[in-house]
Amino acid sequence: MATVKVKFRTSSVETKEGTLYYQVIHKRLVRQVRVGYKLYSWEWDADKAAVVLPPDLDDNRRAHLQTVEMAVSDDLSRLKSVISRLERIGCDYSSDKVVELFHSQDECVGFMSFARQLTDELKRIGRWRTSETYTTVVNSFARFRKNRDVLFDEMDSILISGYESYLKGIGICPNSTSFYMRNLRAIYNRAVENDLTVQRYPFKHVYTGIDKTVKRAVPLKIIRQIRNIDLSDNPTADKARDVFMFSFYTRGMSFVDMAYLKKKDLKNGILSYRRHKTGQQLFIKWEKPMQEIIAKYDTSATPYLLPIIQDMDADLRRQYRNAAHRVNLWLKKLGKQMGLSIPLTSYVARHAWASIARSKNIPISTISEAMGHDSENTTRIYLASLDTSVVDKANRLILNSL
């Protein structure tokens, strides 16, 4: 196996800085890697091959030496990663090959570089949702890493546990932390499949499950209040409320599905659409309150049913995402105005419909089919986090009978 040494070359002028370089040795062939890190001879310990930080340094010099120290550490990790990959492949490599791969950004890609390449590829093939999810996760991991890439050999359980602690430290809830971990793991597993690294199971000590979520439903009386509140003086808030109500009227339709509904999807009093999340096709009987919302808005310039995507010459997905942000922003303001204990978002309409349906003794199988869930288990998980008043009343009856 190739070995790497850090060497220091003094300057021919005694008062000037010398430079560091690396030696890559394999099968008695020695090659140099020039990196250009400069320091004085008294700032380098040749025996330990380490930067020395004298106690009388000023802040600027200390910061410079610490930067060099960190850069050397990163370079050595990179060189060792290159050598490990060549050894795993089993090819007859040379010192020159190690140096070449060290300098090549394409051949020796870091984890975050790979992740960003993957998001670009997913976007190119039309998997926008997955690409956006991975982008969110990679950006979060990059903030934890202070935008420094990480070699695949450094992706271990210690690093990932540190990332989990970082997320907890900035107030991310367990389910959101699990979301980041599951998607980061999916990206890492893609790298394993592409033979960029071996499987080290770096996520084995972090939480990747799903906790019972806090209640996000509101009762029927709140839905009535949302419907009846006068927002005529604020057209933007009125539109956000209409989108919320349309979701509730259509059995909790998600925002993305509402955004892409087309006029041709409404035929003979039946609205049909496929869920973006699962691809399942759903059919909804067209009701009067749905039509009242549609009739309020002029969508003659687009093929869409709702006034969410309105400019056919602009980026459609960006319009959908911006609209989702605006709608939820105004819904949260509306929820605070009403004194609700939970943030009001478009997703609350979906939870509310499921909770109210269950309170009307509608079978779980029917609710599951209406909401387009893959299985009744998904619906049960959904309902488990909603209104517990029925269980509380049952408990009170039992206690009163003692």
Side-chain angles (χ1 to χ4, degrees):
M1 179 182 287
T3 58
V4 180
K5 295 180 180 179
V6 187
K7 296 289 185 176
F8 177 71
R9 181 180 292 113
T10 58
S11 172
S12 57
V13 180
E14 187 176 347
T15 57
K16 288 190 175 182
E17 296 171 307
T19 56
L20 290 177
Y21 66 96
Y22 310 131
Q23 278 187 349
V24 178
I25 310 164
H26 188 53
K27 295 181 179 180
R28 299 183 181 179
L29 184 64
V30 181
R31 289 291 182 265
Q32 291 186 6
V33 180
R34 298 179 182 179
V35 288
Y37 306 139
K38 293 184 176 296
L39 62 166
Y40 294 106
S41 57
W42 58 84
E43 296 171 334
W44 179 252
D45 186 327
D47 293 331
K48 296 181 180 178
V51 175
V52 175
L53 298 173
D56 56 345
L57 288 175
D58 61 43
D59 291 342
N60 289 337
R61 192 62 188 175
R62 180 175 295 277
H64 167 72
L65 292 179
Q66 288 174 337
T67 300
V68 170
E69 190 175 43
M70 185 179 297
V72 170
S73 176
D74 287 348
D75 288 345
L76 291 178
S77 293
R78 185 181 179 84
L79 283 164
K80 290 175 183 177
S81 177
V82 169
I83 294 167
S84 295
R85 286 182 59 198
L86 291 170
E87 290 286 339
R88 285 199 304 272
I89 295 170
C91 64
D92 186 17
Y93 66 93
S94 64
S95 299
D96 289 315
K97 188 64 176 176
V98 174
V99 175
E100 176 192 343
L101 293 180
F102 172 76
H103 288 302
S104 170
Q105 294 298 319
D106 295 327
E107 292 294 330
C108 186
V109 68
F111 172 77
M112 286 192 290
S113 299
F114 166 76
R116 291 192 170 106
Q117 290 175 9
L118 177 60
T119 59
D120 289 342
E121 174 63 16
L122 289 168
K123 189 182 296 183
R124 188 184 66 79
I125 63 177
R127 297 185 60 185
W128 291 88
R129 190 182 186 93
T130 304
S131 175
E132 288 170 356
T133 297
Y134 284 0
T135 297
T136 299
V137 171
V138 173
N139 287 343
S140 169
F141 191 62
R143 287 191 291 274
F144 161 67
R145 289 282 303 167
K146 296 181 180 177
N147 290 318
R148 291 174 54 220
D149 208 340
V150 53
L151 297 173
F152 284 108
D153 289 352
E154 296 176 309
M155 288 289 288
D156 56 22
S157 59
I158 295 175
L159 178 68
I160 300 305
S161 294
Y163 176 47
E164 183 181 51
S165 297
Y166 161 81
L167 292 174
K168 291 178 180 177
I170 61 175
I172 304 298
C173 71
N175 275 351
S176 294
T177 298
S178 176
F179 166 83
Y180 287 120
M181 293 299 171
R182 293 196 310 273
N183 284 283
L184 204 65
R185 181 178 60 189
I187 297 171
Y188 176 83
N189 288 340
R190 289 282 195 105
V192 173
E193 291 171 5
N194 291 344
D195 294 324
L196 292 175
T197 185
V198 295
Q199 180 61 266
R200 293 183 176 82
Y201 303 101
F203 298 86
K204 61 185 176 182
H205 296 310
V206 296
Y207 179 66
T208 55
I210 301 176
D211 281 351
K212 183 183 290 187
T213 57
V214 297
K215 174 181 173 182
R216 283 197 282 181
V218 292
L220 195 58
K221 67 177 182 179
I222 297 298
I223 297 294
R224 289 196 192 99
Q225 289 179 26
I226 294 171
R227 181 194 64 188
N228 295 333
I229 190 169
D230 183 9
L231 296 172
S232 57
D233 61 338
N234 190 333
T236 307
D238 189 35
K239 181 178 176 180
R241 185 263 307 277
D242 285 344
V243 170
F244 179 92
M245 293 306 304
F246 189 86
S247 173
F248 183 80
Y249 294 151
T250 53
R251 308 186 318 227
M253 188 184 296
S254 69
F255 191 92
V256 64
D257 291 330
M258 287 189 291
Y260 287 99
L261 280 179
K262 291 189 174 180
K263 294 164 187 171
K264 67 179 183 180
D265 296 329
L266 178 58
K267 293 180 181 177
N268 302 319
I270 300 294
L271 181 65
S272 63
Y273 73 100
R274 288 191 181 275
R275 290 197 67 200
H276 274 65
K277 186 174 183 179
T278 64
Q280 182 179 355
Q281 188 163 21
L282 299 178
F283 301 90
I284 301 174
K285 186 178 183 300
W286 195 246
E287 302 286 356
K288 181 181 177 181
M290 304 174 195
Q291 182 59 41
E292 289 174 347
I293 289 176
I294 297 301
K296 282 179 64 174
Y297 300 95
D298 179 11
T299 58
S300 57
T302 78
Y304 296 105
L305 199 59
L306 288 164
I308 295 174
I309 298 174
Q310 298 178 287
D311 185 351
M312 301 309 297
D313 294 325
D315 187 309
L316 303 184
R317 189 160 184 86
R318 180 172 294 179
Q319 288 184 73
Y320 139 67
R321 293 180 65 189
N322 289 343
H325 176 75
R326 286 194 301 271
V327 164
N328 283 319
L329 180 67
W330 279 102
L331 286 176
K332 287 176 183 177
K333 290 181 179 180
L334 182 59
K336 288 181 180 179
Q337 178 184 331
M338 296 174 63
L340 299 184
S341 59
I342 60 170
L344 186 63
T345 67
S346 59
Y347 207 62
V348 172
R350 185 169 175 82
H351 276 256
W353 191 91
S355 178
I356 294 167
R358 188 58 182 150
S359 71
K360 300 291 185 183
N361 295 318
I362 295 174
I364 289 180
S365 59
T366 303
I367 298 173
S368 180
E369 181 179 352
M371 302 186 74
H373 282 159
D374 291 331
S375 69
E376 288 185 27
N377 287 336
T378 303
T379 310
R380 291 181 190 279
I381 293 171
Y382 222 81
L383 292 169
S385 64
L386 301 178
D387 194 354
T388 60
S389 61
V390 174
V391 179
D392 293 337
K393 288 177 182 178
N395 187 46
R396 190 179 301 114
L397 286 173
I398 293 170
L399 297 181
N400 289 341
S401 65
L402 289 176

